[in-house]
Amino acid sequence: ISVTAVDVDTQGDEDLGYEYRRDYLIAFYSHPSAVGLYMWGFWDGAQWMKMGPLYHTDWKLKGSGRAWKEMVEKEWRTVAAGMTSGSGRYSTRAFHGDYVVTASFGGKKKTVKTSLPPAGKSIQITLK
């Protein structure tokens, strides 16, 4: 499931805009077939429905924009760090998406880019 447009006019009610966007994002993201949400208009200066975007014309964040930032940029963002076990394994829970993973040991360091599908994935990083 990909959503290509969501326009909601909350008649200037910033709190309602926040609640609606937050609830919509949670409902969408909780579906196991969700793969993408695209926003065509995020600023009132370039959008046909002035209350739909995340920002006012002066670039002040709206309630709906605050919900977007809290959910997408904080709540659903995985930042993890840790030490491997004695066997060299490390595991963590993470949201599916694209990641940059860095491993280091004994002055050696390696960074790899990977994607984590909803079903999970293991990666192996060998330091030489």
Side-chain angles (χ1 to χ4, degrees):
I1 299 172
S2 291
V3 174
T4 59
V6 177
D7 294 317
V8 178
D9 185 348
T10 58
Q11 302 295 312
D13 186 332
E14 296 283 327
D15 292 334
L16 180 60
Y18 171 87
E19 291 171 6
Y20 190 94
R21 180 77 63 180
R22 181 202 60 214
D23 293 351
Y24 178 84
L25 289 169
I26 290 169
F28 172 74
Y29 192 70
S30 67
H31 194 286
S33 296
V35 295
L37 185 114
Y38 306 94
M39 296 190 66
W40 297 105
F42 57 88
W43 174 58
D44 273 345
Q47 176 70 351
W48 71 277
M49 182 183 280
K50 298 302 180 202
M51 284 312 299
L54 306 179
Y55 294 90
H56 293 283
T57 54
D58 64 0
W59 290 101
K60 180 182 173 198
L61 193 63
K62 296 181 179 188
S64 62
R66 194 167 36 88
W68 175 273
K69 287 180 135 332
E70 285 179 12
M71 301 309 293
V72 176
E73 296 180 9
K74 292 180 184 172
E75 185 73 23
W76 296 333
R77 178 127 335 184
T78 303
V79 177
M83 300 279 292
T84 61
S85 66
S87 64
R89 294 181 180 271
Y90 171 76
S91 66
T92 189
R93 289 180 49 111
F95 289 99
H96 64 273
D98 297 327
Y99 286 88
V100 175
V101 180
T102 301
S104 61
F105 179 75
K108 297 175 184 170
K109 183 176 178 179
K110 185 172 183 180
T111 299
V112 298
K113 292 182 180 181
T114 188
S115 291
L116 180 64
K121 178 181 180 179
S122 293
I123 64 169
Q124 180 174 330
I125 301 175
T126 304
L127 298 173
K128 293 184 180 185

